[in-house]
Amino acid sequence: MTATSTTALTRVIGGSTVSAIGLGAMPLSVEGRPDEAQAIATVHAALDAGVTLIDTADSYHWHADEVGHNEHLIARALAAYGHGADGVLVATKGGRGRPGDGSWTVDGDPRHLRRAARASAVRLGVEAIDLYQLHKPDPAVPFAESVGALRELAEAGTVRMVGLSNVDCEQIRTAREILGQYLVSVQNRFSPAHTATRDTLDLCTDLGLTFLPWSPLGGISLSAVDDPGSGAPRTDTPFHALARARGVSPQQVCLAWHLAQSPAVLPIPGARRPTSIRDSAAAAGLTLSAEELAGLRVQFLHRQQLHRQ
């Protein structure tokens, strides 16, 4: 499947129209997070820029005793913003944990997922979570059982829509059979530096599911999931060259590239500062020409071939 030059200012998740660029709120609560004033200012800057999708999770925290830190933060930020935040769709996730030593755990037990979803709803201050996502399949739990718990949550009215994260094509198809219309999105890692999940993006396009690439700026910017010792990202990529030619940031070019891959794609770049999310949000209005996209693709394929040699 090839990219097109069409870039839209909005995307659709289920029956909800949202901004074409969302805010990945994870960096506001994990290691290296800003103070609360800056974190809330970053959320407000996103809303000012027209962002109407915020992605969070109960496991987006730093220390072991602060489960739900990011959900609490988002709830406070939206409340402080006032009525202008009424149309914001908040997506959260359950099924992972953070012991506080920098590692991640996974728990897809249906009992845990049901408890986690109810606790997330309380922290977010909502009767029903807009979009609830299985954060990662648990190899110790049958996938169908974890997904079945999400269907129960939807049927009970605890969540409005259901999503999956870190899944493969077979798991998407299995979940589709179990969840039916409740399944609306898939959130997988995807970026210029990580295209191994392209098959899941294409499947989402075919099935009418929204594809939320996490860490979408991989290869362009460091993300909250990068190892602090991994060094700075490259600054000599085709995206940087095109950004200089267009007079915009390489991050904007990268996000516009994402949007051009499919009408199903809705990037959720992270941000720790108001300036970062303002710049990212502006990518929704940046249209790359067919020639520019083709040039990025040719250079990108060449780079992948060099890596395989």
Side-chain angles (χ1 to χ4, degrees):
M1 190 171 294
T2 58
T4 69
S5 60
T6 300
T7 300
L9 295 177
T10 60
R11 289 290 195 252
V12 175
I13 299 182
S16 301
T17 299
V18 296
S19 55
I21 302 292
L23 170 65
M26 176 181 167
L28 301 177
S29 290
V30 296
E31 294 86 335
R33 66 194 183 198
D35 60 36
E36 182 161 320
Q38 181 175 317
I40 289 179
T42 300
V43 175
H44 288 179
L47 302 183
D48 289 343
V51 171
T52 56
L53 171 71
I54 297 176
D55 180 79
T56 180
D58 61 0
S59 57
Y60 289 171
H61 59 89
W62 185 348
H63 307 293
D65 60 351
E66 54 180 21
V67 174
H69 181 281
N70 199 241
E71 292 173 324
H72 278 303
L73 175 68
I74 296 305
R76 287 195 294 272
L78 294 178
Y81 196 79
H83 292 300
D86 292 344
V88 175
L89 189 154
V90 177
T92 191
K93 296 178 285 294
R96 301 209 74 179
R98 301 205 74 200
D101 60 359
S103 66
W104 294 78
T105 59
V106 60
D107 187 349
D109 186 293
R111 293 167 295 184
H112 169 76
L113 293 173
R114 288 190 288 266
R115 289 193 299 269
R118 290 192 289 267
S120 289
V122 171
R123 286 189 289 265
L124 292 171
V126 297
E127 293 184 6
I129 296 170
D130 291 328
L131 173 60
Y132 193 68
Q133 305 158 96
L134 177 65
H135 205 153
K136 185 177 183 179
D138 185 345
V141 177
F143 181 67
E145 292 185 10
S146 298
V147 175
L150 301 188
R151 181 178 179 97
E152 292 175 17
L153 289 166
E155 291 175 337
T158 306
V159 309
R160 290 179 47 237
M161 300 180 289
V162 174
L164 308 170
S165 186
N166 299 300
V167 289
D168 59 29
C169 287
E170 181 180 355
Q171 290 167 330
I172 294 171
R173 293 188 181 96
T174 297
R176 176 83 164 193
E177 293 178 0
I178 296 170
L179 292 164
Q181 64 181 1
Y182 292 123
L183 180 63
V184 300
S185 65
V186 170
Q187 184 177 147
N188 280 349
R189 187 173 193 177
F190 184 79
S191 71
H194 186 92
T195 58
T197 56
R198 178 77 207 205
D199 58 341
T200 61
L201 187 165
D202 292 341
L203 179 59
C204 286
T205 301
D206 293 341
L207 295 178
L209 304 175
T210 303
F211 185 83
L212 305 164
W214 63 263
S215 197
L217 300 175
I220 305 298
S221 299
L222 289 176
S223 78
V225 298
D226 286 314
D227 183 88
S230 62
R234 293 177 57 184
T235 58
D236 60 346
T237 72
F239 293 85
H240 289 81
L242 181 54
R244 288 191 290 271
R246 292 292 298 269
V248 297
S249 71
Q251 290 81 9
Q252 281 191 36
V253 172
C254 183
L255 293 171
W257 172 84
H258 272 286
L259 292 172
Q261 300 306 301
S262 163
V265 175
L266 199 171
I268 46 173
R272 291 187 176 91
R273 299 180 300 275
T275 52
S276 297
I277 190 57
R278 290 192 196 103
D279 182 73
S280 291
L286 177 63
T287 300
L288 302 180
S289 70
E291 292 76 15
E292 288 170 329
L293 289 165
L296 289 173
R297 186 170 185 272
V298 168
Q299 295 178 69
F300 197 56
L301 288 174
H302 177 66
R303 182 178 167 193
Q304 288 179 318
Q305 291 170 353
L306 291 177
H307 286 174
R308 285 196 294 266
Q309 293 176 354

